[in-house]
Amino acid sequence: MKTPAISVLLPCRNGSATLRPALRSVLAQTCGDFELLFLDDGSEDDSVEIARSFPDGRIRVLSDGIGKGLPRRLNEGVQLARGKYIARMDADDVCFPMRFEKQVAFLESHPEVDLLGCRAVVFRDSGKAMGLLPFAKDHEALCARPWRNISLPHPSWMGRREWFEAHPYRLPEVRRAEDQELLLRGHLDSRYACLEEVLLAYRQGPFQLKRTLVARRSLLVAQLDWFVGQKAWGNVFRALALSSVKVMVDGLAALPGGEALFFRRMGEPVPEEVFHVFRQCLATWDAPEK
């Protein structure tokens, strides 16, 4: 059996509402030399049946009916991956057709880079484009303020398999912040980069205060644990101060009419050419079943 260039890890738990366009966007990549590991995490809807309904031999559906959590599933996927590169994808996002091609080309020409992301446009379930996620291009810029976050969107990742093997996701899991914990833990002995081109559409559901606060708390605990271990006391206080401000903003965002505060982080407007590609692809991704 030919070894694929890329192993795509797509974990899913009850993602049937958005899974089809996510899978279609992967299967439509201009770089088709990949395997897609569909990592079911105990779904109770028809997610597994949807994944199996795609007549494409590149899809490997892995399902045992048990909910183990995202980090454990991703670690399992890394162990099962056969590709030179490992790419992440989520069941509610979609990638532009040239994402894999451009990421592989960059990694091939930049052997010093371990993990690569790309810019992402944020959209709502209605299909409305909200803006672009924060962006930094190289490792130094990405990691300049580790007490804040590292702007490398999780579903946009592609990296060398050896990096993922050397940097497994933390167990027990850091709920809703497993990507930032891993980036923080790995940044001192790794090289990150992010393509300036928008190659991913990141779906953002309604603002949910409880879920957001869980993510805030998980990330803060992970940050404090890391900074204290590094004796980076300045970053300890910066992380605490920033987290306090974010929680106050979250509280305001939860008030009637306050949701716009949560989306202010997507402050950069979507360029016309990106918006055109996004709308064009969305019509294909969300096309009804024939």
Side-chain angles (χ1 to χ4, degrees):
M1 182 181 294
K2 181 179 179 293
T3 301
I6 310 164
S7 294
V8 184
L9 306 186
L10 195 160
C12 179
R13 180 176 175 82
N14 298 332
S16 62
T18 59
L19 181 56
R20 284 188 177 88
L23 289 172
R24 288 171 179 162
S25 74
V26 173
L27 297 177
Q29 291 294 298
T30 56
C31 174
D33 189 10
F34 64 81
E35 61 175 355
L36 192 159
L37 278 64
F38 180 83
L39 308 170
D40 178 59
D41 190 42
S43 293
E44 298 173 343
D45 61 5
D46 58 349
S47 295
V48 174
E49 288 72 20
I50 290 173
R52 287 177 173 156
S53 72
F54 281 77
D56 194 307
R58 293 172 295 181
I59 299 178
R60 297 167 59 190
V61 177
L62 305 169
S63 178
D64 57 16
I66 302 172
K68 297 182 178 180
L70 178 62
R72 194 178 299 277
R73 288 299 180 189
L74 289 172
N75 286 342
E76 291 176 354
V78 170
Q79 295 303 311
L80 293 169
R82 298 182 294 120
K84 177 180 179 181
Y85 300 114
I86 289 179
R88 276 283 288 109
M89 186 60 188
D90 280 341
D92 57 349
D93 300 322
V94 280
C95 43
F96 290 8
M98 294 189 70
R99 176 194 159 189
F100 292 175
E101 179 180 339
K102 296 199 172 188
Q103 287 187 308
V104 167
F106 184 94
L107 289 169
E108 289 286 323
S109 61
H110 295 80
E112 76 283 2
V113 172
D114 300 296
L115 186 67
L116 176 68
C118 65
R119 296 211 75 178
V121 56
V122 179
F123 73 106
R124 305 299 299 273
D125 288 330
S126 64
K128 180 181 179 181
M130 302 297 293
L132 301 179
L133 286 178
F135 167 74
K137 185 175 183 180
D138 56 31
H139 186 81
E140 287 71 26
L142 284 162
C143 303
R145 295 182 288 180
W147 44 271
R148 188 168 185 171
N149 62 20
I150 297 175
S151 299
L152 209 59
H154 199 188
S156 78
W157 291 7
M158 181 183 288
R160 305 181 193 279
R161 185 173 65 180
E162 295 80 8
W163 184 85
F164 282 93
E165 291 173 338
H167 299 82
Y169 290 86
R170 176 175 162 179
L171 298 174
E173 68 179 281
V174 180
R175 290 185 61 198
R176 306 194 65 77
E178 66 286 330
D179 56 332
Q180 286 298 312
E181 189 279 331
L182 176 51
L183 290 172
L184 179 62
R185 176 162 40 91
H187 83 281
L188 294 181
D189 63 354
S190 307
R191 296 293 297 178
Y192 305 148
C194 189
L195 296 179
E196 192 166 1
E197 186 170 355
V198 178
L199 296 170
L200 182 88
Y202 183 94
R203 188 187 300 266
Q204 180 66 64
F207 174 74
Q208 298 182 37
L209 181 60
K210 182 177 179 180
R211 294 179 65 181
T212 301
L213 293 179
V214 168
R216 299 275 192 235
R217 180 184 182 279
S218 296
L219 178 58
L220 179 61
V221 170
Q223 288 175 328
L224 296 181
D225 181 61
W226 172 258
F227 293 141
V228 169
Q230 296 292 310
K231 295 183 171 55
W233 306 114
N235 285 344
V236 168
F237 294 115
R238 293 184 185 98
L240 285 168
L242 181 61
S243 182
S244 298
V245 171
K246 286 183 175 180
V247 168
M248 286 191 291
V249 173
D250 292 337
L252 294 173
L255 297 174
E259 189 178 52
L261 288 171
F262 179 73
F263 289 100
R264 287 190 65 182
R265 62 190 178 123
M266 284 76 80
E268 187 174 344
V270 182
E272 183 61 34
E273 62 273 17
V274 173
F275 182 77
H276 176 73
V277 173
F278 167 71
R279 294 300 302 174
Q280 187 177 47
C281 291
L282 191 64
T284 302
W285 297 330
D286 286 337
E289 291 289 296
K290 295 182 178 179

